[in-house]
Amino acid sequence: MCNTGPLLHLGEAGVRDLLSPAGDVHIPIAVDLEMRSCDADWHLNRPAWLHVTQLDSGPALEARSWQQAGLLHYGEAQAIALARQLRADWLLTDDAAARLLARSWGLEVHGSLGLVLWSAAMHHLSHHEAEAALDGLAQSSLWVSPSVLLAAKAALNQMA
Amino acid sequence: MKSINVDLPEKIAEELSRLVEAGWFHDEAEAVRIALVEFLGHRAAELQERFQHEDIEWALREKQNTPR
């Protein structure tokens, strides 16, 4: 289960396909629409491994109420509701508020940086590719502080 | 939507009621929700960094649990 952030940030870093080996990747319709607003050719560029999945009425109402309460944007709210509906193994988001709230509902949550390091740990990326992906993320629209980048590269060296 | 009951110190509860009576918020629940969103907004960068460090630790654990 993924929201807009990782699709966008991993895409900017040129490693969006890292999501595919992580399993079946689902996004709700609101995230698909957000991606269309970021990328005019999204309908052509949307990866074949990405499933756009509709929310059932109960979770859809839940997502709407979180948005109306001002707790989350609609895409994030739908992503959390869909993760609960599908009993997803992971929710991938780079939004701190979404992550905090999703965790309070018992979801396992990770972000783009975690996915890059996990891919290196699972040998989906070489050390060199992972280092380039981390540099790519640091230059993307995702906020990665110098100390986090340093810690991530140290972890990568530890994996080697 | 999840509901939670929270015990507030008397002074904060009075202040909350005063803000609602003055028309700043529709009700006390709205005031608390907005306060929480504001808190998350201000702490977003700090939380983001903490979550990224947690992800680094997670990836290292996953590596340790994976046979070479």
Side-chain angles (χ1 to χ4, degrees), chain B residues 10-68:
Chain B
E10 205 58 46
K11 210 168 177 182
I12 294 179
E14 281 171 15
E15 184 62 26
L16 204 57
S17 299
R18 203 164 32 243
L19 288 169
V20 173
E21 281 164 20
W24 286 98
F25 304 104
H26 179 66
D27 55 25
E28 287 162 348
E30 185 192 59
V32 172
R33 273 196 300 268
I34 289 174
L36 180 63
V37 171
E38 286 282 307
F39 170 81
L40 291 173
H42 283 108
R43 301 285 295 271
E46 190 185 319
L47 279 171
Q48 174 87 298
E49 188 153 340
R50 197 180 88 196
F51 289 144
Q52 287 174 338
H53 279 293
E54 284 180 8
D55 268 355
I56 293 169
E57 294 303 318
W58 164 69
L60 284 171
R61 282 196 306 276
E62 290 286 306
K63 173 72 180 177
Q64 279 170 359
N65 297 334
T66 306
R68 281 184 177 270

Side-chain angles (χ1 to χ4, degrees), chain A residues 65 69-70 90 94 96 99-100 103 108 110-111 113-114 117-118 122-123 142-143 145 147-148 152 155 159, chain B residues 1-2 33 36-37 40 44-45 47-56 58-60 62-63 66-68:
Chain A
S65 71
W90 297 347
D94 288 323
R99 183 161 176 160
L100 201 62
R103 270 205 331 201
E108 182 176 341
H110 301 290
L113 185 124
L117 289 174
W118 176 85
M122 298 295 116
H123 309 290
L142 173 68
W143 166 249
S145 71
S147 72
V148 167
M159 288 178 193
Chain B
M1 180 106 62
K2 186 178 178 179
R33 273 196 300 268
L36 180 63
V37 171
L40 291 173
L47 279 171
Q48 174 87 298
E49 188 153 340
R50 197 180 88 196
F51 289 144
Q52 287 174 338
H53 279 293
E54 284 180 8
D55 268 355
I56 293 169
W58 164 69
L60 284 171
E62 290 286 306
K63 173 72 180 177
T66 306
R68 281 184 177 270

Side-chain angles (χ1 to χ4, degrees), chain A residues 66-104:
Chain A
W66 297 334
Q67 184 211 9
Q68 284 173 346
L71 293 173
L72 296 168
H73 295 298
Y74 198 37
E76 293 150 3
Q78 277 208 353
I80 294 174
L82 186 58
R84 279 155 59 87
Q85 175 182 312
L86 298 175
R87 298 177 192 278
D89 293 322
W90 297 347
L91 170 69
L92 297 173
T93 179
D94 288 323
D95 184 88
R99 183 161 176 160
L100 201 62
L101 288 166
R103 270 205 331 201
S104 76

Side-chain angles (χ1 to χ4, degrees), chain A residues 18 32 37 49 64 79 84 104 113 123 132 140 146 157:
Chain A
L18 283 183
D32 191 51
S37 71
W49 45 260
R64 180 64 73 184
R84 279 155 59 87
S104 76
L113 185 124
H123 309 290
S140 76
N157 290 334

